[in-house]
């Protein structure tokens, strides 16, 4: 049985303020938990209902395990329908972005993406296409937001997420910047070269005027129908798919 203080602490992690203070975030579901156990992330504790005991990975010797009932799990879960198992994970210490690791590959850059579901889908898509780095503006949604984490389906543990001042960042890198705009080169005939940064904008306002000036190659996904715009996660997937052809 969980104590009131344990329940209170885990529930506090639903909020960004307390995730930042404690350096801990929540993941849910056996698939995601297994992925994180087998990654470089350090797990703090696992909370599981009895039917999930046999599903626990074998390498949990250094992780605190707590069997809980369904009522307790509902109290601590971030989901309307809990998945039977929940874990607390240490947020890794923030490391300075190594700009050299951005050479000879493509990376995504997000300018104030706000929806956690969109961000999680972008992370999962990047993982699918082998993109290792996503660089975010300071006001992009938090990577450890529960909805973001849930949307990544475990991919968060394989993609490096960095937050920085993008104006300063673009001044420091010497790579082509491909910007997703409504007017630009046709994405399907764009010459990508072998490296670069793919800049995607905010859901409502697109790329900020300040950062549009940093774009070296504007790129557009041709519109055939009448929709006003594309969801940013969908745009990211189309860009990643085209980049995948570069490395075939």
């Amino acid at each position: 049985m969980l104590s009131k203080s344990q329940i209170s602490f885990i529930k506090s992690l639903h909020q960004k303020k307390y995730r930042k203070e404690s350096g801990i975030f929540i993941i849910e579901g056996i698939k995601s938990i297994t992925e994180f156990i087998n990654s470089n992330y350090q797990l703090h504790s696992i909370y599981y209902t009895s039917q999930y005991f046999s599903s626990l990975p074998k390498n949990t010797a250094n992780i605190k395990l707590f069997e809980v009932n369904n009522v307790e799990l509902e109290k601590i879960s971030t989901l309307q329908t809990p998945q039977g198992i929940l874990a607390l994970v240490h947020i890794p210490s923030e490391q300075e972005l190594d700009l050299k690791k951005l050479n000879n590959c493509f990376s995504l850059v997000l300018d104030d993406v706000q929806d956690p579901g969109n961000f999680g889908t972008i992370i999962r898509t990047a993982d699918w296409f082998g993109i290792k780095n996503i660089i975010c503006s300071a006001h992009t949604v938090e990577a450890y937001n529960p909805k973001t984490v849930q949307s990544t389906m475990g991919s968060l543990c394989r993609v490096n997420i960095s937050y920085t001042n993008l104006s300063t960042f673009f001044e420091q890198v010497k790579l082509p910047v491909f910007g997703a705009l409504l007017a630009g080169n046709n994405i399907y005939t764009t010459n990508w070269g072998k490296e670069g940064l793919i800049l995607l904008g905010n859901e409502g306002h697109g790329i900020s005027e300040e950062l549009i000036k940093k774009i070296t190659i504007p790129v557009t996904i041709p519109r055939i129908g009448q929709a006003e715009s594309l969801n940013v996660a969908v745009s990211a997937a189309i860009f990643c798919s085209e980049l995948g052809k570069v490395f075939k």
Side-chain angles (χ1 to χ4, degrees):
M1 218 176 143
L2 295 181
S3 67
K4 287 184 179 180
S5 61
Q6 282 178 301
I7 292 172
S8 177
F9 173 68
I10 298 170
K11 287 179 71 174
S12 76
L13 300 177
H14 295 197
Q15 300 178 51
K16 180 179 179 179
K17 172 184 175 182
Y18 295 107
R19 289 193 293 272
K20 188 172 182 180
E21 283 183 6
S22 64
I24 292 174
F25 69 100
I26 296 171
I27 57 174
E28 301 192 54
I30 188 63
K31 180 186 180 297
S32 292
I33 290 171
T34 301
E35 298 244 27
F36 274 88
I37 287 175
N38 294 322
S39 74
N40 293 326
Y41 278 77
Q42 181 186 354
L43 271 73
H44 174 278
S45 49
I46 297 175
Y47 304 81
Y48 62 93
T49 51
S50 57
Q51 64 265 41
Y52 276 87
F53 179 75
S54 60
S55 302
L56 286 172
K58 303 303 179 186
N59 47 337
T60 57
N62 298 319
I63 305 170
K64 291 177 281 188
L65 303 177
F66 298 91
E67 183 174 325
V68 298
N69 57 43
N70 289 326
V71 173
E72 289 174 318
L73 189 64
E74 286 176 4
K75 288 181 179 179
I76 61 177
S77 175
T78 64
L79 304 174
Q80 284 190 336
T81 305
Q83 296 186 10
I85 185 166
L86 175 153
L88 305 187
V89 185
H90 291 280
I91 296 174
S93 56
E94 196 169 333
Q95 297 181 346
E96 187 173 345
L97 180 63
D98 186 351
L99 299 181
K100 292 180 181 177
K101 290 185 177 180
L102 304 182
N103 295 329
N104 303 311
C105 65
F106 288 92
S107 303
L108 301 182
V109 182
L110 306 183
D111 179 21
D112 290 3
V113 168
Q114 294 297 295
D115 183 84
N118 281 340
F119 189 21
T121 301
I122 291 170
I123 294 169
R124 188 177 176 186
T125 301
D127 184 28
W128 177 268
F129 286 100
I131 292 175
K132 299 296 184 184
N133 297 291
I134 300 179
I135 300 96
C136 306
S137 65
H139 296 295
T140 293
V141 64
E142 178 204 11
Y144 302 109
N145 178 295
K147 290 182 180 178
T148 301
V149 176
Q150 199 66 26
S151 297
T152 73
M153 294 295 290
S155 289
L156 178 59
C157 67
R158 287 184 293 272
V159 179
N160 303 315
I161 312 294
S162 304
Y163 288 82
T164 189
N165 181 302
L166 292 185
S167 292
T168 303
F169 167 73
F170 283 125
E171 290 172 2
Q172 295 172 334
V173 294
K174 306 299 180 185
L175 293 168
V177 179
F178 300 87
L181 297 173
L182 288 175
N185 299 337
N186 187 319
I187 189 172
Y188 303 115
T189 57
T190 294
N191 180 3
W192 300 100
K194 293 294 182 182
E195 60 183 2
L197 304 169
I198 310 301
L199 176 60
L200 300 160
N202 171 272
E203 291 90 342
H205 306 292
I207 299 169
S208 66
E209 290 295 329
E210 181 183 8
L211 295 184
I212 284 177
K213 299 173 185 176
K214 309 292 184 181
I215 294 171
T216 51
I217 305 172
V219 179
T220 189
I221 300 167
R223 179 172 59 181
I224 298 170
Q226 299 299 314
E228 182 181 339
S229 62
L230 274 178
N231 173 277
V232 65
V234 172
S235 296
I238 294 171
F239 271 84
C240 288
S241 180
E242 285 302 299
L243 294 176
K245 297 176 183 178
V246 174
F247 296 104
K248 276 189 176 179

